[in-house]
Every structure is written in C-alpha cells, then in structure tokens.
Amino acid sequence: MPIRFARRTLGVLFLVPALLAACAAPSSSSLESRVQARVARATQLAGEDLKPLLGLCRPQPATRASGHTVDEVIRRLIAQRPPAPGRVFDNLYFVGSAWVSAWVLKTSQGLILIDALNSEEEARTIIEGGMATLGLDPRDIRYIVVTHGHGDHYGGASYLAQRHGARIVASEEDWAMMTGTLEFASAVWPPPPKRDIAVRDGDKLVLGDTTLSYHLTPGHTLGTLSLVFEVRDGTRQHRALLWGGTAFNFGKDMPRLQAYHASTEKMRRLAADRSIDVMLSNHPGYDSTVEKLADLKRGSTAGAHPFVGGVGAVDRSLAIMGECSLAQHDRFSM
C-alpha cells in the first residue's frame, strides 16, 4: 500500500506543473476576445483624426518578407508621384516622397535633415529639389539623422553627406545592424552609409538655437530613434515628437512586439512630462502629412494649425500604436 500510494502521489505531483501551465495559458477564444478588445480600444482612441494609425491593427504575416517580392513592392511605392514640398512650421519643412518622409529642421547655424529617402536619385530630385523650391540651401545641411536602419531612410544619406560635408547620425544599435547583417536587403537600395556618429538614449544634438533629443524606441528596429524638438509658428512655440519607426514588418518576433509596446508607454510618459503637442511620422501616410500640408496652404483650418493636434492627440497616437502592438502579440500567441 505505501508503495502504490507513493506512486500515485508522484503521478499527481508530476501533473501539477502541467495543470498550472494549462490554467495560466490563455485559450484561443480568450486571446481572440482580447485582440478584439484591443482593436476596439484603438478604434475608439483614433476617432476621426487618427484613423491612418489603425492600419497597424490589421493582422500581420508571421514571416518577414524578403527577396524579389520586397523589391517589387518597394519599386511600386517609389514610383508614386511625390507631393510638393512645404513649410510646416517656421523652422520645419517637409521634403519627402509620397511613401517616405524627409524633414528639414532649420537652426541658426545650419540645417538638420531627418531621413534621406531611398536613393541618390531621390536625394537629388526630391530632397535637394524640394529644398531649392523652399529657399533652403542643401550646402547648409550639417547633420543627417537616420531614424532607423532601413534603406528607405538611409538610401540618400551617403550621397548627401559626401556632397555637402554633413555628418550622419544613427543609434548604436542600428549602426551595428547597418554595418553587419541588414534586416532588409533590397536590390533597390544602395549599401548603408559608413558608420559615423552613434547616439544613445537621451543624447542631444545642439545646433545654434535648436536642441534635438534622441530617444531610443526599439520595436520597428532594435535601434529606432524617435526625436523631440521645438517648432515655431510665429510667436507660438510647440514641442514635436517624430516617431522613428511604425510598422510591424519583422514577423513573429514576440520580444520585438513587447519592446514596441514598452517604447510607446515610455514616450507617452515623456510626452506628458514635456507637453508635446505635435506628432510627426517618417512615413506621411501615418500622420496625414500631405493632407495637412494642403490644408495649411489653403488656410482652411480656421486659424488652427493642422499639425498641432494637442497633448491629448499625441497621447492617443502612442496609445493606439501600443494597443495594436499588443493585439498583434496576442494573435501570434493563439
């Protein structure tokens, strides 16, 4: 009897961890309910003004796209007609394409270019051409900040740096990726620029009357940089956050999705602390840059600046991205 009892007891003891794990792991139905709740929350937060961000809540593929498929998609996106460049604030200008943004921040001692599009050709025609249209001299570019190490953001950086003597800035993590194994290697993009200035979370770039702070927001890449700086509209000053990498194009990478959510929460706290009231993207489709520029030119906003959404809208934007990252995490967990 004691032996049989001991065996039964051991059997029960061995079952306990499995039973506990089964109880701890959410069922597929509960995960599906959680996904629906997260998407509903994001949709509520988006209202009418932030609907473009809801594309992040759509189901994403479990594998990262590669090869000829990526090349063809990139070519189609590049082929879109670029929008007209425009002055967004007294010291901030848009010189990007229909797919990718490029921003020029004007300071009292030169220009800071944020992202450099896909190629030398785009750097010449869209960035330099757009700057000439806006009365800006590309020779005044002092720094080129690459928000993350994908070719649509670093593609024209080498050309512009060599031509105008500018320095190239990226995070330590993404320099390691760009000088090592690329996450996305496409025949459409040139090789990454040579390693130059590496920055870490919380570092600052001070140029003349302007201070730009770098914030590491891993997710889209391991070293995505989001930027905070002041913009001016006449006598009014605002603080802008440029989110450095938005899409979930890295497949079923659960730690990356968790890092993305943590980054949105980190920047929500910072945005509240610093009263950030302007939210920008490095892809114009996420922040409606082209539409807002058109409104600005038409003067059809009854005195309100279309790019100034307010502190609440910045918080909602970050919360939407966070909810969508968690929804995707839950989908992959099913």
Side-chain angles (χ1 to χ4, degrees), residues 168-191:
I168 302 174
V169 181
S171 70
E172 183 71 46
E173 292 80 358
D174 273 22
W175 275 125
M177 186 256 285
M178 287 188 285
T179 56
T181 302
L182 293 173
E183 286 189 341
F184 286 101
S186 172
V188 181
W189 292 326

Side-chain angles (χ1 to χ4, degrees), residues 171 173-174 177 183 216-224 253 256 259:
S171 70
E173 292 80 358
D174 273 22
M177 186 256 285
E183 286 189 341
L216 195 63
T217 51
H220 187 72
T221 65
L222 295 178
T224 295
D253 189 329
R256 189 79 73 88

Side-chain angles (χ1 to χ4, degrees), residues 65-83:
S66 61
H68 296 302
T69 303
V70 171
D71 294 347
E72 288 308 309
V73 169
I74 292 171
R75 288 190 180 98
R76 285 199 301 272
L77 291 168
I78 290 174
Q80 299 174 92
R81 182 178 179 179

Side-chain angles (χ1 to χ4, degrees), residues 103 114 147 225-229 240-244 278 280-282:
W103 300 92
I114 303 170
T147 54
L225 288 174
S226 293
L227 315 173
V228 173
F229 49 88
L241 164 61
L242 195 156
W243 185 255
V278 176
L280 303 171
S281 174
N282 54 10

Side-chain angles (χ1 to χ4, degrees), residues 17-317:
L19 290 168
L20 288 173
C23 291
S27 66
S28 292
S29 60
S30 65
L31 281 168
E32 179 58 39
S33 297
R34 210 154 71 185
V35 169
Q36 292 175 4
R38 296 196 192 285
V39 173
R41 173 65 175 152
T43 303
Q44 179 188 36
L45 287 165
E48 291 298 319
D49 56 324
L50 301 178
K51 277 187 174 179
L53 286 172
L54 291 177
L56 291 174
C57 274
R58 298 190 191 108
Q60 301 297 312
T63 55
R64 182 184 290 142
S66 61
H68 296 302
T69 303
V70 171
D71 294 347
E72 288 308 309
V73 169
I74 292 171
R75 288 190 180 98
R76 285 199 301 272
L77 291 168
I78 290 174
Q80 299 174 92
R81 182 178 179 179
R87 182 173 66 84
V88 176
F89 291 96
D90 295 348
N91 61 328
L92 184 69
Y93 303 78
F94 176 80
V95 289
S97 70
W99 173 36
V100 191
S101 299
W103 300 92
V104 177
L105 184 61
K106 186 177 181 180
T107 83
S108 60
Q109 292 186 4
L111 307 174
I112 302 169
L113 175 66
I114 303 170
D115 286 334
L117 303 184
N118 290 274
S119 64
E120 177 180 330
E121 180 183 359
E122 285 196 336
R124 283 189 289 103
T125 59
I126 300 177
I127 294 177
E128 290 182 328
M131 290 176 68
T133 299
L134 296 169
L136 301 170
D137 190 340
R139 292 176 296 182
D140 292 333
I141 299 173
R142 300 291 178 261
Y143 295 93
I144 302 165
V145 180
V146 176
T147 54
H148 65 270
H150 291 161
D152 50 330
H153 301 280
Y154 67 64
S158 294
Y159 160 78
L160 291 166
Q162 291 165 11
R163 183 171 173 81
H164 304 300
R167 304 292 304 274
I168 302 174
V169 181
S171 70
E172 183 71 46
E173 292 80 358
D174 273 22
W175 275 125
M177 186 256 285
M178 287 188 285
T179 56
T181 302
L182 293 173
E183 286 189 341
F184 286 101
S186 172
V188 181
W189 292 326
K194 292 180 180 179
R195 182 186 173 100
D196 194 359
I197 298 174
V199 295
R200 299 183 182 276
D201 186 45
D203 285 351
K204 291 180 171 60
L205 168 60
V206 179
L207 186 61
D209 59 356
T210 299
T211 298
L212 180 152
S213 58
Y214 302 104
H215 301 274
L216 195 63
T217 51
H220 187 72
T221 65
L222 295 178
T224 295
L225 288 174
S226 293
L227 315 173
V228 173
F229 49 88
E230 289 190 351
V231 290
R232 296 187 298 275
D233 177 27
T235 59
R236 290 169 291 188
Q237 289 205 352
H238 303 277
R239 192 164 283 129
L241 164 61
L242 195 156
W243 185 255
T246 310
F248 312 140
N249 53 5
F250 39 77
K252 188 179 179 179
D253 189 329
M254 308 298 257
R256 189 79 73 88
L257 285 164
Q258 291 167 340
Y260 191 109
H261 178 256
S263 294
T264 63
E265 290 298 298
K266 165 186 169 179
M267 296 309 289
R268 286 181 74 186
R269 292 190 294 272
L270 184 139
D273 288 344
R274 300 190 62 182
S275 299
I276 294 172
D277 57 356
V278 176
M279 185 77 178
L280 303 171
S281 174
N282 54 10
H283 283 275
Y286 286 119
D287 64 354
S288 303
T289 290
V290 177
E291 294 81 2
K292 289 175 182 177
L293 268 173
D295 288 342
L296 198 58
K297 289 175 181 177
R298 285 193 301 264
S300 57
T301 54
H305 196 295
F307 282 86
V308 181
V311 174
V314 173
D315 183 70
R316 285 162 50 221
S317 297

